[in-house]
Amino acid sequence: MADIQTIKNSPKLKRPEFLDPEKKTSAARMADRVLLLGLGVAFAYWIFASLIFALTATSGTFVHNYFNPGLNEVLSRLLVFCFFMIFGSHVGYTMRQRQKADEALAGSEEKYRTIIENMEDGYFEIDFRGRFTFFNDSFRKISGYGAEQLRQLDYRRLLTPAETQKVLAAFGKVNRTGTNIKDLGFVIVRKDGARRWVETSVSPITGRHDRLVGYRGLLRDVTRRRQADALQQEKMAAEAASRSKSEFLANMSHEIRTPLNAIIGLVELLLESPLSREQREDLKVVQSAAFALLSVINDILDFSKIEAGKLELERSPFNLRDFLGEALKILAVKAHEKNLELAYRVAPDVPDRLVGDHHRFRQVLLNLIGNALKFTDSGEIVVFAQCRTVDADHLLLHVAVRDTGVGIATGKQALIFEAFRQADGSTTRKFGGTGLGLAVSAQLVNLMGGQIGVKSVLGKGSIFHFTIAFDVDAKSADGPELPDDMDLSGRRILVVDDNATNLKILCEMLASWKMVPKPASSAAAGMALLKKMGNSGAVFDLALIDSDLSDSGALSLARQIHGRGGDTTRVVMMLTTTTAKETAFYNETGVGALVTKPVRPSDLLDAIIKALSVAQAPAEKRVDNNGSGHDFSLPPLDILVAEDTPFNQKYIRRLLDTWHCRATIVENGRLAIDALDGQHFDLVLMDVQMPEMDGLTATARIRDLEKKRDRHIPIIAMTAHAMRGDRERCIDAGMDDYVSKPISSIALLEAIRRVVPMPDRKPESVDADPSTSAGDDDGELSAILEAFNNDGAFFKDVADMFISDYPPMVETVKKAIADRDGALLSRTAHALKGMARNFQIDGAADAALQLEQLADQKQFGMAGIQFRTLADELAGFERRLKQMVARVSED
Ligand code: ADP
């Protein structure tokens, strides 16, 4: 409500007299008084005239004259009386009219005053001296001054010098033109020094003879609106900056990752070729420098993406224990090189199948373990995972990475989670790094609904711990389960490991499958336990031995177990790496199975089952064809590669050569379309960014053209763009799959296998006219006969066996895949592989080998694809074999 006090005190606001109820009554009475006065005067005149008449008249008395005046006297006295009557009535009438007019004016002034006082906008009037002659309460509030202070104040005190000029110019304009000014914006300085944005309108106040006597105006506080506008503008500017930053980053990442791709790829290939020791070492330095550079670029990219709010989390189900095992295996070699023990333990109550962004989880985990490896010279790094809170559908997973490294001073522990901060920021520091890893990890963990922290003692080690919220997959089980028909309970297992943490973790795993573990911390202790057991007439079912025992006794322990004649103890050896050489070596030593460290529960279980089943049916020990655990074989595909960068062209050509695929390379999308027009290809590898026509446009054209021809060629995008939405753009353009650069050979291989399920190449030769393929068949026949010592009868017998035996085995493979029965699939594929090798059907043997491996990895989807290759190869061979048998019979 308006402050009435202000109004009363302001000079213009003295209440007019006619607004006073008492004064209003006397004014009304005035008219009556004038009337009464007229009557009084008329009466007095009457008396006065009678008196004069009595004194001057010769006859008659005052009383006689008073009551009986003559006609003249009566008329004159009536005249006076009427005059006063009329005068009184006139005065009364005029007074009443004036009173009515005053009341109307008072009413309108009251209205005006109420409006002004209730207005949110400030109202002011100033005179020529710059003094406020009138203002409302809102104006007072905007200015921050009291009413009395304002009345004393020169308006210029509310303005800065620059704003004074602006306002003076506006007044000058009003003065000159006599017109109003609207929406004049300026800043006022309140009494407390705060600045407010205001907008005002100014109009002239005129006095007598239309002379200008001052200015009046309305003043509105628009600070909030201005701030909101400024904020909006800042936001728009920030968004524009962030957009250009993201674009810049995308381009930068493309530009840097493209040559890096070539460097990493070519170094990988070079390392597989014969090299001198020095060359190999130099190349390894180049390789690790390239990887370091790549990880810096990735960190910067991630950091900027998170900063710009552009990082989107993915959601997919994963098996926690397998996931942790795989993630740790990436760093196992590095740990081994530094002679550090790397292990992990998942609390038994943690559900195994979780749903969340496991890529980002891995990124955080690898960063913490990578740091632990970097800052630890001796001892161990152990990862512990347990539930913080859990219900049927959700879980807060708590992960701790404990190392026995240099530790971090208490004062630095909070700083290291900030970007570009390191505990040792000196130029002489021993360890490299950008100081971004923990900042990225902290942000990722926050995004995933968790927190990160550290506990550390300088010189003793650190524990980095974080939480992440995951959903629990409905089909979740706690850890790997034993097959239904497998009962391992009560099996006695000797566990030999010199690392106490590992020993504990292994024993816990074995106990969870109801086995009876006996821990030994050295080979000698293991031997002693074996002897003790032997003396009591019992044996261990299995010995689980760490190959890196510090007393170097792992191998001799294994040999002694193997050499103990009647002893049926099987050995499972735990290795850090399984190179082809090592695998072969251990196989020869009689080791039942191998498992790589850090030991995944599922791997250990598989190895134990495998080693124990050796007792019943000795199985052939498998060695990967390249020792890396990956099979790089592909059918000889014809692949069109659209790629403009020469070193990428070279890298891809070399890669495809090693897979025995034929590469046709073109430099842009237009040439790719031309090439597809004239030639058959099984697959296109399409770079996205190319001159003349980019990969997305080219793919869209190819898909358009295909509609007319009713065929579909698989296209895999290769792009160095690492930004969000790239995959979607590629798939939207019609591509079938996507690999990001730098291209990992495994990723590319898997993408090829995904999109080219069954390159149908053999049937051409099978269905072809036998006469045209006779030459080939002759070659094949003579090679096979040679393997059968050129014994035609022997060959025919075995061929007949093959023709009758293989179809049911193929059916068994098909069923095993459908039933997801890994053991049956592995066994049958293994047997088929042996048969195929006898007849030198390499394609079928390779497919069977892959099936065997896929069975071990429980990848039944991929196995389905391989199965088709195997079945076709065998069917094709059966037709050729029948012809060969016929030919041998003729001979
Ligand atoms: P970078 O390792 O690239 O410098 P990070 O953000 O990953 O960046 O780590 C920041 C700093 O935190 C490191 O420079 C180091 O000083 C400290 N730090 C991180 N992990 C450990 C650890 N496990 N032990 C000791 N210090 C660590």
CSV table of all heavy atoms in Angstrom, one decimal, residues 299 367-376 401 403 405-408 412 415-425 429 431-441 454 456 461-464, ligand 1:
chain,number,residue,atom,x,y,z
A,299,ASP,N,41.4,-38.9,-23.5
A,299,ASP,CA,41.0,-38.2,-22.3
A,299,ASP,C,40.5,-36.8,-22.5
A,299,ASP,O,39.5,-36.4,-21.9
A,299,ASP,CB,42.3,-38.1,-21.4
A,299,ASP,CG,42.4,-39.3,-20.5
A,299,ASP,OD1,41.5,-40.2,-20.5
A,299,ASP,OD2,43.4,-39.4,-19.8
A,367,ASN,N,41.7,-46.8,-15.7
A,367,ASN,CA,42.5,-45.6,-15.3
A,367,ASN,C,43.1,-45.8,-13.9
A,367,ASN,O,44.2,-45.5,-13.7
A,367,ASN,CB,41.6,-44.4,-15.4
A,367,ASN,CG,42.3,-43.1,-15.0
A,367,ASN,OD1,43.5,-43.0,-15.4
A,367,ASN,ND2,41.7,-42.3,-14.3
A,368,LEU,N,42.2,-46.3,-13.0
A,368,LEU,CA,42.7,-46.4,-11.6
A,368,LEU,C,43.8,-47.5,-11.6
A,368,LEU,O,44.8,-47.3,-10.9
A,368,LEU,CB,41.5,-46.8,-10.7
A,368,LEU,CG,40.4,-45.7,-10.6
A,368,LEU,CD1,39.5,-46.1,-9.5
A,368,LEU,CD2,41.0,-44.3,-10.2
A,369,ILE,N,43.6,-48.6,-12.3
A,369,ILE,CA,44.6,-49.7,-12.2
A,369,ILE,C,45.8,-49.2,-12.9
A,369,ILE,O,47.0,-49.5,-12.5
A,369,ILE,CB,44.0,-51.0,-12.9
A,369,ILE,CG1,42.7,-51.4,-12.1
A,369,ILE,CG2,45.1,-52.1,-12.8
A,369,ILE,CD1,42.0,-52.6,-12.8
A,370,GLY,N,45.7,-48.5,-14.0
A,370,GLY,CA,46.8,-48.0,-14.8
A,370,GLY,C,47.7,-47.1,-13.9
A,370,GLY,O,48.9,-47.2,-13.8
A,371,ASN,N,47.0,-46.2,-13.1
A,371,ASN,CA,47.7,-45.4,-12.2
A,371,ASN,C,48.4,-46.2,-11.1
A,371,ASN,O,49.5,-45.9,-10.7
A,371,ASN,CB,46.7,-44.4,-11.5
A,371,ASN,CG,46.4,-43.2,-12.3
A,371,ASN,OD1,47.1,-42.9,-13.3
A,371,ASN,ND2,45.4,-42.4,-11.9
A,372,ALA,N,47.7,-47.2,-10.6
A,372,ALA,CA,48.2,-48.0,-9.5
A,372,ALA,C,49.5,-48.7,-10.1
A,372,ALA,O,50.5,-48.8,-9.4
A,372,ALA,CB,47.2,-49.1,-9.1
A,373,LEU,N,49.5,-49.2,-11.3
A,373,LEU,CA,50.6,-49.8,-11.9
A,373,LEU,C,51.8,-48.8,-12.1
A,373,LEU,O,52.9,-49.1,-11.8
A,373,LEU,CB,50.3,-50.3,-13.3
A,373,LEU,CG,49.5,-51.7,-13.4
A,373,LEU,CD1,49.1,-51.9,-14.8
A,373,LEU,CD2,50.5,-52.8,-12.9
A,374,LYS,N,51.4,-47.6,-12.4
A,374,LYS,CA,52.4,-46.5,-12.7
A,374,LYS,C,53.1,-46.2,-11.4
A,374,LYS,O,54.3,-45.9,-11.3
A,374,LYS,CB,51.7,-45.3,-13.3
A,374,LYS,CG,52.7,-44.2,-13.7
A,374,LYS,CD,52.1,-43.3,-14.8
A,374,LYS,CE,51.0,-42.4,-14.3
A,374,LYS,NZ,50.6,-41.4,-15.2
A,375,PHE,N,52.3,-46.1,-10.3
A,375,PHE,CA,52.9,-45.6,-9.0
A,375,PHE,C,53.3,-46.7,-8.1
A,375,PHE,O,53.5,-46.4,-6.9
A,375,PHE,CB,51.9,-44.6,-8.4
A,375,PHE,CG,51.7,-43.4,-9.2
A,375,PHE,CD1,50.5,-43.2,-10.0
A,375,PHE,CD2,52.6,-42.4,-9.3
A,375,PHE,CE1,50.3,-42.1,-10.8
A,375,PHE,CE2,52.4,-41.2,-10.1
A,375,PHE,CZ,51.3,-41.1,-10.8
A,376,THR,N,53.4,-47.9,-8.5
A,376,THR,CA,53.7,-49.0,-7.6
A,376,THR,C,55.0,-49.7,-8.2
A,376,THR,O,54.9,-50.1,-9.4
A,376,THR,CB,52.6,-50.0,-7.5
A,376,THR,OG1,51.4,-49.3,-7.1
A,376,THR,CG2,52.9,-51.1,-6.5
A,401,VAL,N,40.4,-50.1,-5.6
A,401,VAL,CA,41.6,-50.5,-6.2
A,401,VAL,C,42.7,-50.2,-5.3
A,401,VAL,O,43.0,-49.1,-5.0
A,401,VAL,CB,41.8,-49.8,-7.6
A,401,VAL,CG1,43.2,-50.2,-8.2
A,401,VAL,CG2,40.7,-50.0,-8.5
A,403,ASP,N,46.6,-50.5,-4.0
A,403,ASP,CA,48.0,-50.7,-4.4
A,403,ASP,C,49.0,-50.6,-3.3
A,403,ASP,O,48.6,-50.1,-2.2
A,403,ASP,CB,48.4,-49.8,-5.6
A,403,ASP,CG,48.5,-48.3,-5.2
A,403,ASP,OD1,49.2,-48.0,-4.2
A,403,ASP,OD2,47.9,-47.5,-5.9
A,405,GLY,N,51.9,-48.9,-3.6
A,405,GLY,CA,52.8,-48.0,-4.2
A,405,GLY,C,53.3,-46.8,-3.4
A,405,GLY,O,53.3,-46.8,-2.2
A,406,VAL,N,53.6,-45.7,-4.1
A,406,VAL,CA,54.2,-44.5,-3.4
A,406,VAL,C,53.3,-43.8,-2.5
A,406,VAL,O,53.7,-43.1,-1.6
A,406,VAL,CB,54.8,-43.5,-4.5
A,406,VAL,CG1,55.9,-44.1,-5.3
A,406,VAL,CG2,53.7,-43.0,-5.4
A,407,GLY,N,52.0,-43.9,-2.7
A,407,GLY,CA,51.0,-43.2,-1.8
A,407,GLY,C,50.9,-41.7,-2.2
A,407,GLY,O,51.7,-41.2,-3.0
A,408,ILE,N,50.0,-41.0,-1.5
A,408,ILE,CA,49.8,-39.6,-1.8
A,408,ILE,C,49.7,-38.9,-0.5
A,408,ILE,O,49.0,-39.3,0.4
A,408,ILE,CB,48.4,-39.4,-2.6
A,408,ILE,CG1,48.4,-40.3,-3.9
A,408,ILE,CG2,48.2,-38.0,-3.0
A,408,ILE,CD1,47.1,-40.5,-4.4
A,412,LYS,N,47.4,-33.5,-0.6
A,412,LYS,CA,47.2,-33.5,-2.1
A,412,LYS,C,46.0,-34.4,-2.5
A,412,LYS,O,45.6,-34.4,-3.7
A,412,LYS,CB,48.5,-34.1,-2.8
A,412,LYS,CG,49.7,-33.4,-2.4
A,412,LYS,CD,50.0,-32.2,-3.4
A,412,LYS,CE,51.1,-31.4,-2.9
A,412,LYS,NZ,52.1,-31.1,-3.9
A,415,LEU,N,43.1,-32.7,-4.2
A,415,LEU,CA,43.5,-31.9,-5.5
A,415,LEU,C,43.5,-32.8,-6.7
A,415,LEU,O,43.1,-32.4,-7.8
A,415,LEU,CB,44.9,-31.3,-5.3
A,415,LEU,CG,45.0,-30.2,-4.3
A,415,LEU,CD1,46.5,-29.7,-4.3
A,415,LEU,CD2,44.1,-29.1,-4.6
A,416,ILE,N,43.9,-34.1,-6.5
A,416,ILE,CA,44.2,-34.9,-7.7
A,416,ILE,C,43.0,-35.2,-8.6
A,416,ILE,O,43.1,-35.6,-9.7
A,416,ILE,CB,44.9,-36.2,-7.3
A,416,ILE,CG1,44.1,-36.9,-6.3
A,416,ILE,CG2,46.3,-35.9,-6.9
A,416,ILE,CD1,44.7,-38.3,-6.0
A,417,PHE,N,41.8,-34.9,-8.0
A,417,PHE,CA,40.6,-35.2,-8.8
A,417,PHE,C,40.2,-34.0,-9.7
A,417,PHE,O,39.3,-34.1,-10.5
A,417,PHE,CB,39.4,-35.6,-7.9
A,417,PHE,CG,39.6,-36.9,-7.2
A,417,PHE,CD1,40.0,-36.9,-5.9
A,417,PHE,CD2,39.4,-38.1,-7.9
A,417,PHE,CE1,40.2,-38.2,-5.3
A,417,PHE,CE2,39.6,-39.3,-7.3
A,417,PHE,CZ,40.0,-39.3,-6.0
A,418,GLU,N,41.0,-32.9,-9.5
A,418,GLU,CA,40.7,-31.7,-10.4
A,418,GLU,C,41.5,-31.9,-11.7
A,418,GLU,O,42.5,-32.6,-11.7
A,418,GLU,CB,41.2,-30.5,-9.7
A,418,GLU,CG,40.3,-30.1,-8.5
A,418,GLU,CD,40.9,-28.9,-7.7
A,418,GLU,OE1,41.7,-28.2,-8.3
A,418,GLU,OE2,40.6,-28.8,-6.5
A,419,ALA,N,41.0,-31.3,-12.8
A,419,ALA,CA,41.6,-31.5,-14.1
A,419,ALA,C,43.0,-30.9,-14.0
A,419,ALA,O,43.3,-29.9,-13.4
A,419,ALA,CB,40.8,-30.8,-15.1
A,420,PHE,N,43.9,-31.6,-14.7
A,420,PHE,CA,45.3,-31.2,-14.8
A,420,PHE,C,46.1,-31.0,-13.5
A,420,PHE,O,47.1,-30.3,-13.4
A,420,PHE,CB,45.4,-29.8,-15.6
A,420,PHE,CG,44.7,-29.9,-16.9
A,420,PHE,CD1,43.5,-29.2,-17.1
A,420,PHE,CD2,45.1,-30.6,-18.0
A,420,PHE,CE1,42.8,-29.2,-18.3
A,420,PHE,CE2,44.4,-30.7,-19.2
A,420,PHE,CZ,43.2,-30.0,-19.3
A,421,ARG,N,45.6,-31.7,-12.4
A,421,ARG,CA,46.3,-31.6,-11.2
A,421,ARG,C,47.0,-32.9,-10.9
A,421,ARG,O,46.4,-34.0,-11.1
A,421,ARG,CB,45.4,-31.3,-10.0
A,421,ARG,CG,44.7,-29.9,-10.1
A,421,ARG,CD,45.7,-28.8,-10.1
A,421,ARG,NE,46.2,-28.6,-8.8
A,421,ARG,CZ,45.8,-27.7,-7.9
A,421,ARG,NH1,44.8,-26.9,-8.3
A,421,ARG,NH2,46.3,-27.5,-6.8
A,422,GLN,N,48.2,-32.8,-10.4
A,422,GLN,CA,49.0,-34.0,-10.1
A,422,GLN,C,49.5,-33.9,-8.7
A,422,GLN,O,49.8,-32.7,-8.2
A,422,GLN,CB,50.1,-34.3,-11.1
A,422,GLN,CG,49.6,-34.7,-12.4
A,422,GLN,CD,50.6,-34.6,-13.5
A,422,GLN,OE1,51.4,-33.6,-13.5
A,422,GLN,NE2,50.5,-35.5,-14.5
A,423,ALA,N,49.7,-35.0,-8.0
A,423,ALA,CA,50.3,-34.9,-6.6
A,423,ALA,C,51.7,-34.3,-6.7
A,423,ALA,O,52.0,-33.4,-5.8
A,423,ALA,CB,50.3,-36.3,-6.0
A,424,ASP,N,52.4,-34.7,-7.7
A,424,ASP,CA,53.8,-34.1,-7.8
A,424,ASP,C,53.7,-33.3,-9.1
A,424,ASP,O,53.9,-33.8,-10.2
A,424,ASP,CB,54.8,-35.2,-7.9
A,424,ASP,CG,56.2,-34.7,-8.1
A,424,ASP,OD1,56.4,-33.4,-8.1
A,424,ASP,OD2,57.1,-35.5,-8.3
A,425,GLY,N,53.5,-32.0,-9.0
A,425,GLY,CA,53.4,-31.1,-10.1
A,425,GLY,C,54.7,-30.5,-10.6
A,425,GLY,O,54.8,-29.7,-11.5
A,429,ARG,N,59.3,-34.2,-11.9
A,429,ARG,CA,58.6,-35.4,-11.4
A,429,ARG,C,59.0,-36.6,-12.2
A,429,ARG,O,59.3,-36.5,-13.4
A,429,ARG,CB,57.1,-35.1,-11.4
A,429,ARG,CG,56.5,-35.0,-12.7
A,429,ARG,CD,55.2,-34.4,-12.5
A,429,ARG,NE,54.7,-33.7,-13.7
A,429,ARG,CZ,54.0,-34.3,-14.6
A,429,ARG,NH1,53.6,-35.5,-14.5
A,429,ARG,NH2,53.7,-33.6,-15.7
A,431,PHE,N,57.0,-39.4,-12.8
A,431,PHE,CA,56.0,-40.0,-13.5
A,431,PHE,C,55.3,-39.0,-14.5
A,431,PHE,O,55.0,-37.9,-14.1
A,431,PHE,CB,54.9,-40.6,-12.6
A,431,PHE,CG,55.5,-41.5,-11.5
A,431,PHE,CD1,55.7,-41.0,-10.3
A,431,PHE,CD2,55.8,-42.8,-11.8
A,431,PHE,CE1,56.2,-41.8,-9.3
A,431,PHE,CE2,56.3,-43.6,-10.8
A,431,PHE,CZ,56.5,-43.1,-9.6
A,432,GLY,N,55.1,-39.5,-15.7
A,432,GLY,CA,54.5,-38.6,-16.7
A,432,GLY,C,53.0,-38.6,-16.5
A,432,GLY,O,52.4,-39.1,-15.5
A,433,GLY,N,52.3,-38.0,-17.4
A,433,GLY,CA,50.8,-38.0,-17.3
A,433,GLY,C,50.2,-36.6,-17.5
A,433,GLY,O,51.0,-35.6,-17.4
A,434,THR,N,49.0,-36.5,-17.8
A,434,THR,CA,48.3,-35.2,-18.1
A,434,THR,C,47.6,-34.7,-16.9
A,434,THR,O,47.2,-33.5,-16.8
A,434,THR,CB,47.3,-35.3,-19.2
A,434,THR,OG1,46.4,-36.3,-18.8
A,434,THR,CG2,47.9,-35.6,-20.5
A,435,GLY,N,47.3,-35.5,-15.9
A,435,GLY,CA,46.5,-35.1,-14.8
A,435,GLY,C,45.0,-35.0,-15.1
A,435,GLY,O,44.2,-34.4,-14.5
A,436,LEU,N,44.6,-35.7,-16.2
A,436,LEU,CA,43.2,-35.7,-16.6
A,436,LEU,C,42.4,-36.9,-16.2
A,436,LEU,O,41.2,-36.9,-16.1
A,436,LEU,CB,43.1,-35.5,-18.1
A,436,LEU,CG,43.0,-34.1,-18.7
A,436,LEU,CD1,42.9,-34.1,-20.2
A,436,LEU,CD2,41.7,-33.4,-18.1
A,437,GLY,N,43.2,-38.0,-16.1
A,437,GLY,CA,42.6,-39.3,-15.9
A,437,GLY,C,41.6,-39.3,-14.7
A,437,GLY,O,40.4,-39.8,-14.9
A,438,LEU,N,42.0,-38.8,-13.6
A,438,LEU,CA,41.2,-38.9,-12.4
A,438,LEU,C,40.0,-37.9,-12.5
A,438,LEU,O,38.9,-38.2,-12.1
A,438,LEU,CB,42.0,-38.6,-11.1
A,438,LEU,CG,42.9,-39.7,-10.6
A,438,LEU,CD1,43.6,-39.3,-9.4
A,438,LEU,CD2,42.1,-41.0,-10.3
A,439,ALA,N,40.2,-36.8,-13.2
A,439,ALA,CA,39.1,-35.8,-13.4
A,439,ALA,C,38.1,-36.4,-14.2
A,439,ALA,O,36.9,-36.4,-13.9
A,439,ALA,CB,39.7,-34.5,-14.0
A,440,VAL,N,38.5,-37.1,-15.3
A,440,VAL,CA,37.5,-37.8,-16.2
A,440,VAL,C,36.8,-38.9,-15.4
A,440,VAL,O,35.6,-39.0,-15.5
A,440,VAL,CB,38.2,-38.3,-17.5
A,440,VAL,CG1,37.3,-39.2,-18.3
A,440,VAL,CG2,38.7,-37.2,-18.3
A,441,SER,N,37.6,-39.7,-14.7
A,441,SER,CA,37.0,-40.8,-13.9
A,441,SER,C,36.0,-40.2,-12.9
A,441,SER,O,34.9,-40.8,-12.8
A,441,SER,CB,38.1,-41.5,-13.1
A,441,SER,OG,39.0,-42.1,-14.0
A,454,VAL,N,39.6,-41.4,-2.3
A,454,VAL,CA,40.9,-42.1,-2.1
A,454,VAL,C,41.3,-42.1,-0.6
A,454,VAL,O,41.0,-41.1,0.1
A,454,VAL,CB,42.0,-41.4,-2.9
A,454,VAL,CG1,42.3,-39.9,-2.5
A,454,VAL,CG2,43.3,-42.2,-2.9
A,456,SER,N,45.0,-42.9,1.4
A,456,SER,CA,46.4,-43.2,1.0
A,456,SER,C,47.3,-42.8,2.2
A,456,SER,O,47.1,-41.9,2.9
A,456,SER,CB,46.7,-42.4,-0.2
A,456,SER,OG,48.0,-42.7,-0.7
A,461,GLY,N,51.0,-46.8,0.2
A,461,GLY,CA,50.1,-47.2,-0.9
A,461,GLY,C,48.8,-46.5,-0.8
A,461,GLY,O,48.6,-45.6,0.1
A,462,SER,N,47.9,-46.8,-1.8
A,462,SER,CA,46.7,-46.0,-1.9
A,462,SER,C,45.5,-47.0,-2.1
A,462,SER,O,45.7,-48.1,-2.7
A,462,SER,CB,46.7,-45.1,-3.1
A,462,SER,OG,47.9,-44.4,-3.1
A,463,ILE,N,44.4,-46.6,-1.7
A,463,ILE,CA,43.1,-47.3,-2.1
A,463,ILE,C,42.2,-46.3,-2.8
A,463,ILE,O,41.7,-45.3,-2.1
A,463,ILE,CB,42.4,-47.9,-0.9
A,463,ILE,CG1,43.3,-48.8,-0.1
A,463,ILE,CG2,41.1,-48.6,-1.4
A,463,ILE,CD1,42.7,-49.4,1.2
A,464,PHE,N,42.0,-46.4,-4.1
A,464,PHE,CA,41.1,-45.6,-4.8
A,464,PHE,C,39.8,-46.3,-4.8
A,464,PHE,O,39.7,-47.5,-5.1
A,464,PHE,CB,41.5,-45.3,-6.2
A,464,PHE,CG,42.5,-44.2,-6.3
A,464,PHE,CD1,43.9,-44.4,-6.1
A,464,PHE,CD2,42.1,-42.9,-6.5
A,464,PHE,CE1,44.8,-43.4,-6.1
A,464,PHE,CE2,43.0,-41.8,-6.6
A,464,PHE,CZ,44.4,-42.1,-6.4
B,1,ADP,P1,48.0,-38.6,-14.6
B,1,ADP,O1,48.3,-39.9,-14.0
B,1,ADP,O2,47.9,-38.6,-16.1
B,1,ADP,O3,49.0,-37.5,-14.2
B,1,ADP,P2,45.6,-38.7,-13.1
B,1,ADP,O4,44.4,-37.7,-13.1
B,1,ADP,O5,45.2,-40.1,-13.5
B,1,ADP,O6,46.6,-38.1,-14.1
B,1,ADP,O7,46.3,-38.6,-11.7
B,1,ADP,C1,46.6,-37.4,-11.1
B,1,ADP,C2,47.6,-37.6,-10.1
B,1,ADP,O8,47.2,-38.3,-9.0
B,1,ADP,C3,48.9,-38.3,-10.6
B,1,ADP,O9,49.7,-37.5,-11.3
B,1,ADP,C4,49.5,-38.8,-9.3
B,1,ADP,O10,50.2,-37.7,-8.7
B,1,ADP,C5,48.3,-39.0,-8.4
B,1,ADP,N1,47.9,-40.5,-8.4
B,1,ADP,C6,46.9,-41.1,-9.0
B,1,ADP,N2,46.8,-42.4,-8.7
B,1,ADP,C7,47.8,-42.6,-7.9
B,1,ADP,C8,48.3,-43.8,-7.2
B,1,ADP,N3,47.7,-45.0,-7.4
B,1,ADP,N4,49.3,-43.7,-6.3
B,1,ADP,C9,49.9,-42.5,-6.2
B,1,ADP,N5,49.6,-41.4,-6.8
B,1,ADP,C10,48.5,-41.4,-7.6
